[in-house]
Amino acid sequence: MTKYIVRGGKPLFGEVEISGAKNAAVAILPAALLVEGVCRIENIPQISDVHLFYTILDELGASVRSINPHTVEIDCTHIRSTRTSYEMARRIRASYYLIGALLGRFARADVAMPGGCNFGVRPIDQHIKGFKALGADVTVEGGFIHASCQEPRLHGANIYLDVVSVGATMNIMMAAVLAEGATVIENAAKEPHIVDLANFLNSMGANVRGAGTDTIKIQGVSCLRGGSYAIIPDQIEAGTYMAAVAATGGQILVKNIIPKHMDCITAKLQECGVEVEEREDTLLVRRSEPLHQTNVKTMPYPGFPTDMQPQMTTVLSLAEGTSLVTESVWNNRYRYVDELKRMGASIQVDDKTAVVQGVDYLTGAPIQACDLRAGAALVIAALAAKGESEISQVQYIERGYERIVDKLRSLGADICVVEEPGENDQLEAHIG
Ligand code: EPU
């Protein structure tokens, strides 16, 4: 069992390089299934969700060749199967993209129901609605989603999404790029990774227009050929380091970012008294004065991202005054609050709203991550707290943050990794 030990109370200083965007990578990797030829993909983050996708693609018959830690060449010309292994696919939420990609290329997909972080009901009805509109039959049986089309190719359609969904927008886009005719997705999500996926597909020969607006138009093409593409920087990873320095104080240079993508996060941190200076592809973030309260409501892009809500709530737990945080994307994303309370935070959650009464300081404690961003929030809390914290269940954090411990140590944080024998290890040790 891996844990992080954090001795908090030290301000952060230095520079941090932001990795490629997780939520773009976990869409672009399965999208490579649509391509006959070699896709060279650069700026891939080294995180466990990405490694899972390499295994899944390899099992389906793709050739996955690592060129360096952040560049991979994937050749999906000779795919053997359209059925993913149950165990692999159910471990990751983004495995649902395998449905759109396999269905789009082979008119058939059999993929385990997706897993991933648990913050309430996570339906995929809008994805299924889209696949059906494109001419697929979709059934759920034995833990698998089976999607198939009688014809060799799907056909274009007009699809209106009932909720703004990142996953459904990208999945339908993947299914539609090789469909016969034109597809229009209305009420589409506009996150930076939607634009990134469209750019990736277009660089392989697709015809996708309007990504980043709420209407996306896709003209089907007969095949996608190989090419080269670099993934955008991770908005949420960058925001997490900004929140870390907001909580601890200090000054850091956040490098390799797209400042425009950071506006929604920068604006809220500035309201709390954090200074943010924008340069070409960096942000200089400084916090020298006490934090003050603000109110935050999560919204689809360009609103404040739900994936920054736990980190921002942690910052506000140390701000003067009372802040209101409203989570409007997920219905249960406050499970980490009990852990923050162990550290002395004063937060009351009522349904989708958290009332955060700022305290002067947090104190270190044994705490447990319950999902990826909750885990990041606890790391921030531990960095800012007086005394020592021990964070368990860090495998959640490592799903989405590349070398987080090394990056924080380079900023002067006192954080280290310890391996402790878990139940299985103890059993093995016992048998051994
Ligand atoms: N929704 C439906 N029906 C659907 C799809 C979504 O009702 O068919 C609802 C959801 O229940 C939710 C809302 O629509 O209330 C938005 O869900 P969305 O589909 O946008 O989320 P997602 O695609 O499953 C991605 C990210 C999440 C991020 C959300 C929102 C990936 C792999 N995951 O999830 O990222 O929170 O968009 O921005 O891209 C994370 O990185 O920590 C993470 C959880």
Side-chain angles (χ1 to χ4, degrees), residues 240-280:
T240 300
Y241 286 100
M242 293 168 77
V245 74
T248 61
Q251 174 174 304
I252 65 170
L253 187 67
V254 185
K255 294 167 72 175
N256 181 38
I257 48 114
I258 298 176
K260 182 81 198 136
H261 294 170
M262 305 310 303
D263 284 353
C264 41
I265 299 166
T266 299
K268 280 292 149 187
L269 287 171
Q270 284 173 329
E271 281 176 28
C272 303
V274 178
E275 293 161 62
V276 183
E277 213 177 286
E278 184 182 310
R279 313 224 174 118
E280 207 167 293

Side-chain angles (χ1 to χ4, degrees), residues 31-147:
L33 284 164
L34 288 158
V35 182
E36 289 175 64
V38 179
C39 299
R40 183 186 170 95
I41 310 172
E42 296 169 9
N43 204 30
I44 300 193
Q46 280 272 31
I47 50 175
S48 60
D49 271 14
V50 158
H51 296 136
L52 262 175
F53 264 115
Y54 291 160
T55 308
I56 293 173
L57 289 171
D58 177 72
E59 283 180 1
L60 292 173
S63 140
V64 181
R65 201 161 75 92
S66 177
I67 304 298
N68 64 47
H70 298 108
T71 303
V72 73
E73 283 186 357
I74 301 175
D75 187 349
C76 294
T77 309
H78 304 293
I79 291 298
R80 281 191 302 269
S81 168
T82 55
R83 183 183 175 93
T84 61
S85 98
Y86 188 74
E87 259 321 300
M88 282 295 155
R90 72 187 285 270
R91 280 165 60 184
I92 177 171
R93 181 77 192 157
S95 58
Y96 50 42
Y97 294 130
L98 295 160
I99 311 173
L102 288 167
L103 187 62
R105 166 108 179 264
F106 301 105
R108 170 151 207 112
D110 305 282
V111 177
M113 279 294 258
C117 291
N118 172 9
F119 26 77
V121 184
R122 296 188 72 176
I124 56 165
D125 57 301
Q126 298 302 304
H127 306 229
I128 292 175
K129 169 175 146 170
F131 299 146
K132 287 185 172 168
L134 295 169
D137 291 322
V138 185
T139 56
V140 179
E141 224 173 280
F144 274 83
I145 299 170
H146 302 283

Side-chain angles (χ1 to χ4, degrees), residues 379-401:
V379 170
I380 293 172
L383 291 170
K386 290 185 181 174
E388 184 174 296
S389 297
E390 183 184 283
I391 307 176
S392 54
Q393 302 283 17
V394 299
Q395 73 276 11
Y396 285 116
I397 302 171
E398 294 177 357
R399 283 192 40 218
Y401 288 91

Side-chain angles (χ1 to χ4, degrees), residues 22-23 26 93-94 96-97 119 121-127 163-168 191 193 306-307 329-330 333 372-373:
K22 162 191 169 270
N23 287 343
V26 297
R93 181 77 192 157
Y96 50 42
Y97 294 130
F119 26 77
V121 184
R122 296 188 72 176
I124 56 165
D125 57 301
Q126 298 302 304
H127 306 229
V163 290
V164 178
S165 160
V166 170
E191 270 65 6
H193 31 292
T306 172
D307 293 343
V329 177
W330 297 110
R333 207 173 189 174
L372 167 61
R373 307 304 173 187

Side-chain angles (χ1 to χ4, degrees), residues 181-416:
T183 297
V184 180
I185 308 172
E186 306 256 28
N187 199 24
K190 297 184 279 218
E191 270 65 6
H193 31 292
I194 307 259
V195 180
D196 210 34
L197 174 65
N199 288 342
F200 165 78
L201 292 168
N202 286 343
S203 73
M204 303 289 145
N207 184 350
V208 181
R209 300 284 168 260
T213 74
D214 44 25
T215 304
I216 299 179
K217 295 185 177 159
I218 302 154
Q219 185 62 47
V221 296
S222 57
C223 71
L224 300 186
R225 298 287 178 212
S228 202
Y229 191 76
I231 290 177
I232 51 166
D234 196 309
Q235 175 208 34
I236 304 298
E237 188 197 15
T240 300
Y241 286 100
M242 293 168 77
V245 74
T248 61
Q251 174 174 304
I252 65 170
L253 187 67
V254 185
K255 294 167 72 175
N256 181 38
I257 48 114
I258 298 176
K260 182 81 198 136
H261 294 170
M262 305 310 303
D263 284 353
C264 41
I265 299 166
T266 299
K268 280 292 149 187
L269 287 171
Q270 284 173 329
E271 281 176 28
C272 303
V274 178
E275 293 161 62
V276 183
E277 213 177 286
E278 184 182 310
R279 313 224 174 118
E280 207 167 293
D281 64 350
T282 61
L283 288 178
L284 185 67
V285 188
R286 183 185 315 119
R287 206 272 285 169
S288 46
E289 299 296 318
L291 293 163
H292 36 88
Q293 68 77 229
T294 190
N295 298 331
V296 177
K297 182 173 184 179
T298 67
M299 305 277 274
Y301 190 82
F304 187 85
T306 172
D307 293 343
M308 276 300 298
Q309 180 263 102
Q311 302 89 311
M312 190 69 195
T313 304
T314 303
V315 171
L316 294 174
S317 76
L318 289 161
E320 284 170 358
T322 303
S323 305
L324 291 184
V325 178
T326 308
E327 172 57 58
S328 74
V329 177
W330 297 110
N331 56 12
N332 183 13
R333 207 173 189 174
Y334 287 120
R335 292 194 306 148
Y336 64 93
V337 162
D338 284 343
E339 300 301 289
L340 286 184
K341 284 183 178 172
R342 286 179 207 282
M343 304 177 78
S346 173
I347 304 174
Q348 298 307 318
V349 175
D350 182 8
D351 192 22
K352 295 197 161 190
T353 303
V355 182
V356 187
Q357 179 68 56
V359 294
D360 291 340
Y361 58 88
L362 299 174
T363 49
I367 41 180
Q368 193 171 319
C370 61
D371 66 58
L372 167 61
R373 307 304 173 187
L378 295 184
V379 170
I380 293 172
L383 291 170
K386 290 185 181 174
E388 184 174 296
S389 297
E390 183 184 283
I391 307 176
S392 54
Q393 302 283 17
V394 299
Q395 73 276 11
Y396 285 116
I397 302 171
E398 294 177 357
R399 283 192 40 218
Y401 288 91
E402 177 174 331
R403 296 185 302 104
I404 187 170
V405 170
D406 292 345
K407 289 187 185 185
L408 285 169
R409 284 169 71 95
S410 78
L411 295 173
D414 187 343
I415 177 169
C416 65

